[in-house]
Each structure stands twice: as C-alpha cells, then as structure tokens.
Amino acid sequence: MSPVLILFLLTNCSKDNDTATDTTYPEIDNTASNAFPKQCSIIKRGETFTFRTLLTDNSELGSVSVDIHHNFDHHTHSTEVDDCGMDPIKKAVKPFLMIRDFPIPAGSKSYQLNTEINVPADIDPGDYHFMIRLTDKQGWQTIKGLSVKIQ
C-alpha cells in the first residue's frame, strides 16, 4: 500500500469526524420581568440604567456587544414587531452613540448580563436603536434590535 493512501485512510478515520457540528445560534432572552431595555422602553438622559438580559448557547458563549445609536432618520434593523410610535424625522445635532463589548466568563453556556450604562444629559432626545450582538465560540451570531426612546 502506498504511503499516500495510508495517510489518507488514517486522517479520514479520526474521531473528529464523529463529533456533531454546532449549528445552533446563541439566544438573547429579554422576556424576564427584570430585563431591560425591552422594545419601546424609555431611557432618561443624564441617568444610569441597568442593562439586563439572559444570554444562552447550547455549547459555549463567546462575546456580546451593544450598539446604541440614533434613529432620527427612521432607518430600520429592529427585530421586534412593534414600531413604538416614531417621532418626526429630524437632523441629529448631538446624538448618543455607544458601541461597547461586555465580557462573558469563559466556558459559559448561560450568562445573566447585568451592567450599568450611563446616558449623558446633553444628548439629543428621540428615537434610538439598542442593538445586542451575541456570538458563540463557534462563530454563530444572533442580533436583537430594539427600538427605544431617550427622553
């Protein structure tokens, strides 16, 4: 038997081929009574709020980030059905923008994210998007786009 054929047979008989491939997306659960924000939540300028959500995966969580940005032009990437009654379109003067990663302990299949976010007092009030991006260790990503109002 040729060395190339033996090498081919040995690499194709490994146990790695017997393991199931993870094809399950991680989940962002903001249905708990203490979860915040939820679709159409109101956030106050000049205050700190607690961002609470449950993150889960069948294998292992990887990373989570939040992107808060204005929706004064009525663009959309909300994943929720209710549109929350939009304010009239307006030009941004001093909008709030926050893009931030939050650590998840290594090896976690479930993690209750509970962190404070400060909203500056001098930002434009109005319609905003609160985007949560959750990626598991295998690279599958779930996005939850919430419409919120900052007053």
Side-chain angles (χ1 to χ4, degrees):
M1 199 179 286
S2 80
V4 174
L5 181 58
I6 292 171
L7 182 59
F8 174 76
L9 291 173
L10 288 175
T11 58
N12 282 327
C13 292
S14 75
K15 289 188 177 186
D16 290 341
N17 291 338
D18 295 336
T19 60
T21 303
D22 179 14
T23 58
T24 303
Y25 289 93
E27 295 182 12
I28 301 165
D29 181 359
N30 70 337
T31 60
S33 62
N34 70 340
F36 190 85
K38 295 184 180 190
Q39 181 71 357
C40 303
S41 287
I42 295 174
I43 297 169
K44 301 285 186 179
R45 292 184 295 167
E47 294 184 7
T48 298
F49 69 91
T50 303
F51 169 40
R52 285 186 209 94
T53 193
L54 178 62
L55 310 172
T56 59
D57 187 61
N58 65 315
S59 181
E60 183 178 355
L61 293 166
S63 63
V64 64
S65 66
V66 169
D67 171 347
I68 303 172
H69 61 272
H70 80 80
N71 187 21
F72 303 159
D73 60 359
H74 294 186
H75 69 275
T76 186
H77 36 228
S78 179
T79 58
E80 306 300 305
V81 176
D82 189 357
D83 72 1
C84 305
M86 306 279 286
D87 293 343
I89 291 175
K90 67 179 183 178
K91 182 178 176 165
V93 176
K94 191 172 181 185
F96 181 44
L97 174 64
M98 186 195 87
I99 301 171
R100 193 164 129 194
D101 296 322
F102 297 95
I104 297 174
S108 298
K109 287 186 177 185
S110 178
Y111 182 66
Q112 177 71 48
L113 183 59
N114 190 2
T115 190
E116 291 187 347
I117 296 176
N118 182 49
V119 181
D122 61 347
I123 55 123
D124 294 340
D127 298 306
Y128 282 80
H129 283 141
F130 192 99
M131 304 291 298
I132 308 164
R133 287 181 175 83
L134 176 62
T135 307
D136 69 13
K137 279 292 186 187
Q138 291 73 31
W140 296 104
Q141 185 178 78
T142 298
I143 298 173
K144 183 172 282 286
L146 304 171
S147 294
V148 298
K149 294 235 186 239
I150 297 182
Q151 299 180 340

